[in-house]
């Protein structure tokens, strides 16, 4: 096994699953290794591999045991792990997606609560929330829902005890020590501080997800007028989000 990764484990997950577990801790460095291995597996086009699912600190591989045995798959993955360089820079395909957000008011009904809880002003909450890019560790819960890392400790707020039955698509919220946005309408227990008019998930598109694991999200504030102007562009299919290669932050 690669000397840089002594704790990697290959775990059985039913008849069709194999889990590669990198570390018990969650960190950007561990997640970069997760994304690196997921990329290698996807590009290798191994016969019998059905799907590769990266998470915070593991990679789940679904495979067809009639095409490739668990032992064969484990051998291929072990070889990949030996060749990986976890100290390399972040993948060149990683990007920063800039997400416009209208904070407060009817679009962010919980902003004032978050400000009171954290003993900050609403303006300070917005300033801190938009100050740094957030690493997309993984997608899940609903299509395109980003699990983000990097929320400032000052903004941590316990989740609501009773989830809302419906959180509007585009809502940006804080729950515990995490922040993120809801790509589709769904139940949710996070405190809603704003909303973006940008679609993070579009099932009609050839590329349905606006961002991928390993990317970064950078929130920035817009006015109510700008929110509705962008929403009209999104509806017309003319809106082009700002996307830059790489990230200004390595967390």
């Amino acid at each position: 096994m690669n000397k840089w990764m002594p704790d990697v484990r290959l775990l059985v997950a039913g008849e069709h699953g194999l889990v590669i577990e990198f570390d018990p801790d969650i960190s950007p460095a561990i997640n970069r290794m997760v994304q690196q291995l997921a990329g290698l597996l996807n590009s290798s086009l191994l016969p019998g591999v059905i799907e590769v699912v990266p998470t915070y600190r593991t990679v789940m591989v679904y495979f067809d045991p009639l095409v490739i045995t668990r032992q064969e798959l484990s051998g291929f993955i072990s070889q990949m792990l030996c060749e990986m360089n976890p100290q390399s820079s972040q993948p060149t395909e990683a990007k920063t997606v800039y997400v416009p957000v209208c904070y407060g008011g009817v679009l962010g009904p919980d902003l004032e609560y978050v400000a009171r809880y954290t003993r900050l002003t609403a303006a300070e909450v917005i300033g801190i929330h938009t100050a740094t890019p957030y690493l997309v560790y993984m997608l899940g819960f609903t299509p395109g829902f980003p699990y983000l890392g990097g929320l400032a400790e000052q903004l941590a707020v316990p989740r609501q005890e009773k989830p809302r039955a419906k959180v509007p698509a585009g809502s940006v919220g804080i729950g515990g020590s995490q922040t993120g946005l809801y790509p589709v309408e769904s139940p949710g227990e996070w405190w809603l501080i704003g909303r973006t008019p940008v679609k993070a998930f579009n099932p009609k598109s050839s590329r349905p997800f606006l961002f991928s694991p390993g990317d970064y999200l950078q929130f920035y504030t817009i006015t109510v007028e700008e929110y509705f102007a962008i929403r009209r562009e999104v509806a017309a299919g003319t809106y082009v989000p700002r996307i830059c290669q790489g990230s200004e932050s390595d967390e």
Side-chain angles (χ1 to χ4, degrees):
M1 189 65 70
N2 191 318
K3 67 178 181 178
W4 301 109
M5 294 179 287
D7 297 327
V8 178
R9 298 195 300 164
L10 274 61
L11 307 173
V12 174
E15 295 181 357
H16 302 272
L18 181 67
V19 174
I20 302 91
E21 183 183 67
F22 281 90
D23 199 88
D25 297 322
I26 295 172
S27 72
I30 294 298
N31 193 253
R32 277 195 293 271
M33 288 190 281
V34 166
Q35 303 306 330
Q36 192 176 124
L37 177 60
L40 289 171
L41 284 166
N42 282 321
S43 62
S44 68
L45 300 177
L46 281 175
V49 172
I50 300 171
E51 186 178 9
V52 178
V53 183
T55 69
Y56 278 112
R57 57 184 183 84
T58 67
V59 178
M60 176 76 176
V61 182
Y62 294 96
F63 66 97
D64 184 345
L66 299 179
V67 178
I68 184 170
T69 67
R70 186 183 305 278
Q71 184 176 2
E72 290 171 333
L73 179 59
S74 298
F76 280 118
I77 291 174
S78 295
Q79 183 59 40
M80 288 179 179
L81 290 169
C82 288
E83 297 172 356
M84 281 175 53
N85 179 12
Q87 295 189 342
S88 65
S89 60
Q90 67 186 49
T92 56
E93 63 269 19
K95 59 186 182 292
T96 297
V97 179
Y98 291 81
V99 179
V101 179
C102 183
Y103 288 90
V106 296
L107 300 176
D110 300 326
L111 176 62
E112 294 298 332
Y113 172 81
V114 171
R116 290 195 303 272
Y117 185 90
T118 57
R119 299 183 179 181
L120 299 167
T121 65
E124 287 172 332
V125 171
I126 296 170
I128 295 170
H129 192 257
T130 57
T132 183
Y134 298 94
L135 173 63
V136 181
Y137 276 93
M138 58 181 284
L139 303 180
F141 172 54
T142 62
F145 185 97
Y147 287 80
L148 304 178
L151 181 68
E153 292 183 5
Q154 300 158 273
L155 298 185
V157 181
R159 299 186 181 195
Q160 297 187 36
E161 293 183 4
K162 183 179 180 180
R164 285 182 171 93
K166 292 183 179 180
V167 174
S171 294
V172 175
I174 292 175
S177 59
Q178 290 182 294
T179 187
L181 65 89
Y182 290 77
V184 298
E185 182 183 277
S186 68
E189 56 188 7
W190 289 14
W191 300 98
L192 308 181
I193 60 174
R195 195 181 304 174
T196 179
V198 175
K199 282 188 176 182
F201 172 63
N202 182 3
K204 297 180 180 179
S205 172
S206 59
R207 302 188 67 180
F209 302 113
L210 180 60
F211 37 76
S212 304
D215 290 339
Y216 289 82
L217 297 191
Q218 174 72 66
F219 298 111
Y220 68 95
T221 183
I222 57 174
T223 65
V224 173
E225 292 76 18
E226 289 172 320
Y227 172 89
F228 285 105
I230 294 174
R231 196 171 77 166
R232 287 192 292 271
E233 291 182 40
V234 171
T238 59
Y239 179 74
V240 179
R242 180 186 171 195
I243 298 176
C244 297
Q245 290 300 119
S247 169
E248 297 176 0
S249 171
D250 196 36
E251 293 212 318

